[in-house]
Amino acid sequence: MRFGYARVSTLEQNPSLQIDALEAAGCDEIITDEASGKSAIRPGLDNLLNKLRSGDELLVWRLDRLGRSLKSLLELINYFDKTDIKFKSLTENIDTSTLNGKLIFNIFAALSEFERNLIRERTMAGLSAARARGRLGGRPTAKKAKIEAAIQLYDKKELTIDQICKVIGISRGTLYKYLGQKNNN
């Protein structure tokens, strides 16, 4: 079966252009979503993925309509490849059932991995430079008075844990961290 998938980012947008192109390409069924590309919640895509079977074909108008990012797009294409589902993007003229289509996606995957490695290197270099200037990462520690107040309230046993957290303005986890520091000193 030949499925089509169309997505628009907002309710004000109209998927007609995508639907017309998918119908012209001979789709048996077209599923649409009205969701931002950044949103992980796309019920239409979830429905589509449940319907796809080995030997089926999925068509999209453009690649960016399917994947939220290059990484998510590559994950979907790898899933399609493993489950013998053909994939075509009409605008970019990519067909993963052909050698050329697979080559293009392998190039995308290599570029994506290269980009991730560059980001990792830049992050590590930035952290090293900050440490060299005496700056440490992470959340700033609480003022000593705040920690002591939390411990004193706990030791008095007049308030519940939740009440102490509310008075001091901290979470339960933070309170337990303070109490652990007290016991280690």
Side-chain angles (χ1 to χ4, degrees):
M1 187 155 174
R2 182 177 268 191
F3 290 92
Y5 177 71
R7 180 183 60 80
V8 291
S9 298
T10 64
L11 296 174
E12 291 83 36
Q13 293 178 336
N14 189 333
S16 299
L17 173 67
Q18 296 175 53
I19 292 170
D20 291 346
L22 294 169
E23 285 175 347
C27 289
D28 300 310
E29 183 177 345
I30 298 171
I31 296 175
T32 62
D33 262 327
E34 291 177 350
S36 166
K38 293 180 181 179
S39 174
I41 301 169
R42 293 188 281 168
L45 181 60
D46 293 340
N47 180 27
L48 173 66
L49 293 174
N50 288 328
K51 288 184 176 193
L52 288 170
R53 300 289 176 253
S54 178
D56 285 345
E57 188 173 16
L58 171 61
L59 282 76
V60 295
W61 179 61
R62 280 184 27 190
L63 287 173
D64 66 348
R65 301 293 87 196
L66 181 64
R68 297 183 311 133
S69 64
L70 181 57
K71 182 183 177 199
S72 68
L73 184 61
L74 290 170
E75 288 170 357
L76 280 170
I77 299 303
N78 286 332
Y79 167 74
F80 296 154
D81 190 42
K82 288 177 186 172
T83 54
D84 192 35
I85 296 168
K86 299 173 189 139
F87 173 77
K88 289 183 183 176
S89 172
L90 301 176
T91 303
E92 291 89 357
N93 199 22
I94 295 174
D95 181 351
T96 61
S97 66
T98 67
L99 290 176
N100 286 342
K102 287 182 181 181
L103 172 66
I104 289 171
F105 267 95
N106 284 326
I107 291 170
F108 281 175
L111 290 173
S112 178
E113 183 177 350
F114 178 71
E115 179 184 25
R116 281 192 305 272
N117 288 335
L118 280 177
I119 291 169
R120 187 178 309 120
E121 279 183 24
R122 280 187 247 138
T123 301
M124 298 310 276
L127 290 172
S128 293
R131 276 189 220 102
R133 291 189 307 272
R135 295 177 59 197
L136 300 176
R139 291 178 146 217
T141 56
K143 302 269 189 248
K144 193 170 184 174
K146 189 174 191 178
I147 295 171
E148 289 173 1
I151 292 170
Q152 286 174 1
L153 287 172
Y154 179 81
D155 288 342
K156 285 183 180 178
K157 297 183 184 309
E158 294 174 0
L159 300 175
T160 66
I161 296 290
D162 288 334
Q163 290 170 330
I164 295 169
C165 292
K166 189 172 184 179
V167 167
I168 302 294
I170 58 174
S171 69
R172 291 174 70 100
T174 301
L175 176 61
Y176 290 126
K177 183 178 97 175
Y178 293 168
L179 295 172
Q181 290 172 354
K182 171 191 132 181
N183 294 333
N184 291 333
N185 291 337

